[in-house]
Amino acid sequence: MAEEKPPQDPFEMFRRLWGPLGVPVPGMAMPTLDPQEVEKRIQDLRSVEGWLTMNLNMVKLSIQGLEMQKAALQAMQPKKQPKEKDDG
């Protein structure tokens, strides 16, 4: 088998890794000089940030709900009495 040569571009490995997933590698591409394109990217990233923030808040709310449920279940369980030692 022919061995693959290491890429000349040090970031080529990351491009190969992330490229098939359709995920752009931040800062690895040639920056655009078009201010409208930059503004569009900023707006896209702000939309993603908002979506992630919303999901993070939903996860936090779920955790709080489960913690309250756990506390309620623990409060409803009868407390265990310590076993008395036999003096026999």
Side-chain angles (χ1 to χ4, degrees), residues 56-73:
L56 177 62
N57 290 334
M58 290 174 58
V59 168
K60 287 180 179 181
L61 186 63
S62 296
I63 291 170
Q64 282 181 329
L66 288 172
E67 288 173 341
M68 289 175 59
Q69 182 180 355
K70 178 183 171 186
L73 289 171

Side-chain angles (χ1 to χ4, degrees), residues 14-78:
F14 295 110
R15 287 191 192 106
R16 285 185 196 167
L17 178 67
W18 291 98
L21 300 175
V23 178
V25 181
M28 299 280 182
M30 191 70 178
T32 182
L33 299 176
D34 182 13
Q36 290 176 340
E37 181 66 26
V38 171
E39 184 62 32
K40 181 184 179 298
R41 287 183 185 180
I42 291 170
Q43 292 303 317
D44 289 346
L45 289 174
R46 285 199 174 138
S47 296
V48 170
E49 179 186 25
W51 182 81
L52 289 172
T53 301
M54 180 184 69
N55 282 300
L56 177 62
N57 290 334
M58 290 174 58
V59 168
K60 287 180 179 181
L61 186 63
S62 296
I63 291 170
Q64 282 181 329
L66 288 172
E67 288 173 341
M68 289 175 59
Q69 182 180 355
K70 178 183 171 186
L73 289 171
Q74 287 175 342
M76 287 189 283
Q77 289 181 350

